[in-house]
């Protein structure tokens, strides 16, 4: 079996509804290879817009929508978090977990990343798990250890 390639576009905290519209118009002209999954990960507030516009443009079979993050909880008093079932409900199929910025700025641990992956898989989301070392860890020769631990 041939391994499928994944191309993921992470918008980070950028973009707006105009970018959603522009991207949809541009995607209509893209000729994809059959063995590539393309995942578009806008900010959470634009997920529904992206999913709906891909469907309306008959592009949802070729392009997937993913979230930039997910909670490890399915529901509860976790203000501002987005659960795996919520992402599935709006049409997401993928989720980025463990991005270096989440690890650095939000101090997400390997244990939390593992819990998020477990929750995503349980909700039938495809996790894109990010691993990597800092510049300092690379310079100190710790890169392989850090990535293996993650």
């Amino acid at each position: 079996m041939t391994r499928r390639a994944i191309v993921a576009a992470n918008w980070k905290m950028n973009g707006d509804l105009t970018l959603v519209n522009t991207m949809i118009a541009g995607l209509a002209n893209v000729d994809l290879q059959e063995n590539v999954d393309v995942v578009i990960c806008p900010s959470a507030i634009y997920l529904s817009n992206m999913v709906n516009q891909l469907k309306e443009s008959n592009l949802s079979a070729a392009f997937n929508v993913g979230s930039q993050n997910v909670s490890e909880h399915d529901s509860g008093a976790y203000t501002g978090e987005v659960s795996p079932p919520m992402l599935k409900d709006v049409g997401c199929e993928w989720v980025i977990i463990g991005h270096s910025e989440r690890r650095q700025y939000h101090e997400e641990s390997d244990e939390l990343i593992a819990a998020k992956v477990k929750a995503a898989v349980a909700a039938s989301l495809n996790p894109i798990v990010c691993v990597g070392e800092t510049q300092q860890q690379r310079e100190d020769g710790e890169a392989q250890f850090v990535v293996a631990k993650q």
Side-chain angles (χ1 to χ4, degrees):
M1 184 169 116
T2 302
R3 187 174 193 174
R4 294 181 64 81
I6 299 170
V7 176
N10 178 6
W11 292 10
K12 301 186 181 250
M13 197 173 70
N14 298 297
D16 53 20
L17 287 175
T18 301
L19 180 57
V20 173
N21 298 332
T22 301
M23 183 162 282
I24 295 297
L27 292 174
N29 300 315
V30 173
D31 184 28
L32 294 176
Q33 294 180 1
E34 291 182 26
N35 64 337
V36 177
D37 288 315
V38 177
V39 184
I40 304 164
C41 302
S43 295
I45 196 165
Y46 302 117
L47 289 170
S48 292
N49 295 90
M50 182 62 74
V51 168
N52 292 335
Q53 287 198 41
L54 284 170
K55 285 180 185 175
E56 291 169 8
S57 302
N58 295 316
L59 296 171
S60 59
F63 299 97
N64 304 280
V65 177
S67 175
Q68 297 177 7
N69 190 29
V70 66
S71 174
E72 71 276 26
H73 303 286
D74 281 350
S75 63
Y78 303 100
T79 302
E81 293 294 314
V82 180
S83 74
M86 290 174 172
L87 294 175
K88 284 298 285 189
D89 191 40
V90 298
C92 282
E93 295 293 328
W94 295 78
V95 60
I96 299 171
I97 301 174
H99 194 283
S100 61
E101 293 162 1
R102 299 288 312 174
R103 290 176 187 264
Q104 179 181 0
Y105 302 133
H106 299 279
E107 299 179 3
E108 292 190 358
S109 66
D110 295 339
E111 294 76 21
L112 177 59
I113 302 307
K116 288 182 175 195
V117 169
K118 184 177 179 181
V121 170
S124 299
L125 291 167
N126 299 300
I128 299 170
V129 182
C130 302
V131 297
E133 74 283 356
T134 64
Q135 179 71 32
Q136 187 63 50
Q137 291 166 329
R138 185 178 312 121
E139 290 172 1
D140 292 344
E142 300 173 350
Q144 289 184 350
F145 172 77
V146 169
V147 172
K149 182 177 177 278
Q150 292 174 352

XYZ file of all heavy atoms in Angstrom, residues 68-108:
327
model
N -6.903 23.717 14.241
C -5.541 23.966 14.684
C -5.286 23.437 16.094
O -4.151 23.432 16.555
C -5.256 25.469 14.664
C -5.326 26.065 13.291
C -5.118 27.572 13.324
O -4.797 28.161 14.353
N -5.304 28.208 12.188
N -6.326 23.006 16.765
C -6.191 22.524 18.133
C -7.478 21.791 18.508
O -8.480 21.869 17.789
C -5.951 23.695 19.095
C -5.565 23.258 20.493
O -4.962 22.203 20.688
N -5.916 24.063 21.468
N -7.448 21.083 19.615
C -8.621 20.372 20.120
C -8.446 20.189 21.623
O -7.314 20.100 22.117
C -8.799 19.000 19.415
C -7.665 18.043 19.746
C -10.154 18.388 19.719
N -9.554 20.118 22.332
C -9.508 19.810 23.754
C -9.390 18.303 23.940
O -9.791 17.529 23.067
C -10.790 20.300 24.443
O -10.816 19.880 25.798
N -8.872 17.910 25.068
C -8.848 16.497 25.404
C -10.169 16.041 26.019
O -10.380 14.857 26.262
C -7.671 16.190 26.346
C -7.828 16.730 27.755
C -7.404 18.191 27.926
O -7.431 18.968 26.949
O -7.056 18.557 29.053
N -11.087 16.992 26.238
C -12.386 16.707 26.855
C -13.497 16.753 25.806
O -13.469 17.593 24.909
C -12.691 17.729 27.945
C -11.643 17.786 29.016
N -11.500 16.815 29.978
C -10.661 18.693 29.252
C -10.492 17.130 30.778
N -9.961 18.267 30.347
N -14.489 15.899 25.960
C -15.638 15.894 25.046
C -16.649 16.980 25.385
O -17.398 17.425 24.518
C -16.335 14.536 25.061
C -15.615 13.499 24.237
O -14.675 13.872 23.489
O -15.978 12.319 24.327
N -16.720 17.371 26.642
C -17.655 18.416 27.069
C -17.269 18.845 28.477
O -16.393 18.247 29.095
C -19.101 17.889 27.054
O -19.244 16.830 27.975
N -17.928 19.874 28.983
C -17.686 20.304 30.354
C -17.388 21.781 30.460
O -17.480 22.538 29.493
N -17.010 22.178 31.657
C -16.750 23.584 31.978
C -15.312 23.944 31.616
O -14.456 24.114 32.476
C -17.012 23.828 33.463
N -15.056 24.016 30.308
C -13.720 24.333 29.792
C -13.846 25.513 28.833
O -13.713 25.364 27.615
C -13.112 23.107 29.101
C -13.034 21.916 30.023
C -13.978 20.900 29.958
C -12.032 21.834 30.983
C -13.921 19.808 30.823
C -11.965 20.757 31.854
C -12.918 19.756 31.773
O -12.855 18.690 32.625
N -14.103 26.674 29.397
C -14.374 27.873 28.624
C -13.323 28.116 27.553
O -12.126 28.100 27.819
C -14.453 29.098 29.555
O -15.473 28.863 30.532
C -14.760 30.368 28.769
N -13.799 28.323 26.325
C -12.927 28.644 25.204
C -12.363 27.439 24.476
O -11.769 27.585 23.416
N -12.529 26.246 25.021
C -12.014 25.038 24.381
C -13.004 24.528 23.339
O -14.189 24.849 23.381
C -11.760 23.943 25.428
C -10.641 24.272 26.392
C -9.282 24.329 25.719
O -8.965 23.425 24.921
O -8.529 25.269 25.997
N -12.514 23.732 22.409
C -13.349 23.121 21.379
C -13.130 21.612 21.455
O -11.996 21.134 21.364
C -12.994 23.651 19.975
C -13.871 23.005 18.920
C -13.127 25.170 19.932
N -14.212 20.866 21.629
C -14.114 19.416 21.821
C -14.058 18.671 20.490
O -14.499 19.186 19.456
C -15.305 18.919 22.632
O -16.480 18.924 21.837
N -13.551 17.445 20.527
C -13.548 16.629 19.306
C -14.952 16.450 18.693
O -15.100 16.615 17.481
C -12.933 15.296 19.767
C -12.088 15.654 20.935
C -12.826 16.769 21.619
N -15.983 16.145 19.494
C -17.314 16.023 18.881
C -17.808 17.317 18.226
O -18.500 17.275 17.211
C -18.215 15.617 20.051
C -17.301 14.947 21.026
C -16.000 15.717 20.901
N -17.439 18.463 18.791
C -17.824 19.746 18.183
C -17.181 19.899 16.817
O -17.820 20.352 15.860
C -17.418 20.919 19.077
C -18.199 21.052 20.336
S -17.472 22.370 21.338
C -18.682 22.505 22.635
N -15.897 19.526 16.722
C -15.198 19.630 15.442
C -15.830 18.714 14.403
O -16.022 19.109 13.251
C -13.710 19.319 15.615
C -12.934 20.329 16.457
C -11.505 19.854 16.666
C -12.967 21.709 15.822
N -16.164 17.499 14.802
C -16.836 16.574 13.879
C -18.178 17.150 13.445
O -18.561 17.049 12.274
C -17.048 15.206 14.534
C -15.819 14.343 14.626
C -15.243 13.987 13.282
C -16.059 12.928 12.561
N -15.399 12.422 11.340
N -18.891 17.755 14.384
C -20.223 18.301 14.098
C -20.193 19.388 13.026
O -21.123 19.492 12.228
C -20.827 18.839 15.396
C -22.300 19.170 15.262
O -23.038 18.397 14.604
O -22.723 20.199 15.833
N -19.126 20.192 12.987
C -19.047 21.248 11.972
C -18.390 20.775 10.687
O -18.260 21.542 9.741
C -18.349 22.533 12.484
C -19.117 23.140 13.635
C -16.903 22.298 12.822
N -17.944 19.510 10.642
C -17.403 18.971 9.398
C -15.908 18.819 9.332
O -15.365 18.522 8.269
N -15.209 19.013 10.441
C -13.760 18.789 10.446
C -13.474 17.299 10.379
O -14.199 16.489 10.948
C -13.131 19.349 11.722
S -12.919 21.118 11.704
N -12.391 16.968 9.705
C -11.933 15.583 9.630
C -10.536 15.428 10.222
O -10.101 14.328 10.513
C -11.920 15.107 8.175
C -13.303 15.051 7.538
C -14.212 13.999 8.147
O -13.705 12.952 8.596
O -15.424 14.237 8.194
N -9.822 16.527 10.376
C -8.434 16.513 10.807
C -8.244 17.490 11.959
O -9.035 18.418 12.132
C -7.516 16.931 9.650
C -7.506 15.980 8.504
C -8.461 15.859 7.526
C -6.517 15.016 8.200
N -8.103 14.877 6.643
C -6.912 14.333 7.034
C -5.311 14.655 8.809
C -6.156 13.331 6.462
C -4.555 13.652 8.232
C -4.985 12.996 7.067
N -7.162 17.324 12.706
C -6.819 18.270 13.763
C -5.305 18.243 13.984
O -4.679 17.182 13.983
C -7.576 17.975 15.080
C -7.271 16.595 15.607
C -7.296 19.029 16.128
N -4.733 19.439 14.123
C -3.316 19.568 14.450
C -3.187 19.485 15.966
O -3.882 20.196 16.697
C -2.748 20.912 13.953
C -2.876 21.024 12.430
C -1.294 21.070 14.389
C -2.539 22.416 11.890
N -2.281 18.624 16.433
C -2.083 18.453 17.871
C -0.585 18.533 18.168
O 0.226 17.923 17.481
C -2.647 17.097 18.350
C -4.143 17.015 18.044
C -2.384 16.896 19.841
C -4.765 15.666 18.345
N -0.236 19.299 19.197
C 1.154 19.359 19.642
C 2.024 20.332 18.889
O 3.253 20.220 18.916
N 1.413 21.317 18.235
C 2.208 22.303 17.499
C 3.211 22.954 18.451
O 2.921 23.167 19.632
C 1.280 23.354 16.888
C 1.964 24.203 15.867
N 2.818 25.222 16.209
C 1.917 24.182 14.518
C 3.272 25.801 15.111
N 2.750 25.184 14.072
N 4.376 23.278 17.945
C 5.433 23.847 18.788
C 4.974 25.102 19.517
O 5.371 25.344 20.665
C 6.679 24.152 17.956
O 6.383 25.109 16.948
N 4.133 25.897 18.897
C 3.649 27.114 19.550
C 2.730 26.782 20.720
O 2.748 27.461 21.742
C 2.936 28.006 18.536
C 3.886 28.554 17.502
C 3.197 29.077 16.262
O 1.952 29.032 16.190
O 3.916 29.508 15.349
N 1.916 25.719 20.586
C 1.057 25.281 21.689
C 1.923 24.748 22.834
O 1.654 25.004 23.999
C 0.076 24.201 21.233
C -0.890 24.607 20.150
C -1.965 25.534 20.594
N -2.620 25.102 21.815
C -3.533 25.843 22.448
N -3.888 27.019 21.976
N -4.085 25.411 23.547
N 2.958 24.007 22.478
C 3.849 23.463 23.507
C 4.570 24.598 24.235
O 4.690 24.605 25.455
C 4.870 22.514 22.888
C 4.272 21.209 22.381
C 5.342 20.367 21.694
N 4.820 19.197 21.039
C 4.789 17.972 21.571
N 5.237 17.781 22.784
N 4.307 16.963 20.880
N 5.041 25.600 23.475
C 5.828 26.686 24.057
C 4.959 27.685 24.816
O 5.194 27.955 25.989
C 6.608 27.408 22.964
C 7.432 28.572 23.486
C 8.179 29.305 22.375
O 8.095 28.954 21.208
N 8.913 30.335 22.745
N 3.955 28.257 24.152
C 3.203 29.364 24.748
C 2.121 28.909 25.715
O 1.718 29.658 26.600
C 2.581 30.230 23.659
C 3.589 30.802 22.693
C 3.376 30.733 21.329
C 4.766 31.392 23.136
C 4.300 31.250 20.429
C 5.693 31.902 22.245
C 5.453 31.833 20.890
O 6.369 32.338 20.020
N 1.629 27.689 25.548
C 0.564 27.178 26.418
C 1.055 26.038 27.302
O 0.268 25.402 27.989
C -0.636 26.738 25.577
C -1.220 27.858 24.780
N -2.087 28.788 25.309
C -1.031 28.237 23.487
C -2.406 29.670 24.383
N -1.779 29.357 23.270
N 2.359 25.783 27.227
C 3.014 24.773 28.053
C 2.326 23.412 27.985
O 2.156 22.729 28.992
C 3.137 25.267 29.496
C 3.976 26.525 29.600
C 4.105 27.057 31.012
O 3.587 26.430 31.955
O 4.724 28.126 31.168
N 1.922 23.021 26.773
C 1.275 21.720 26.601
C 2.326 20.615 26.724
O 3.327 20.612 26.015
C 0.549 21.651 25.263
C -0.650 22.569 25.226
C -1.543 22.369 24.019
O -1.238 21.536 23.140
O -2.577 23.066 23.960
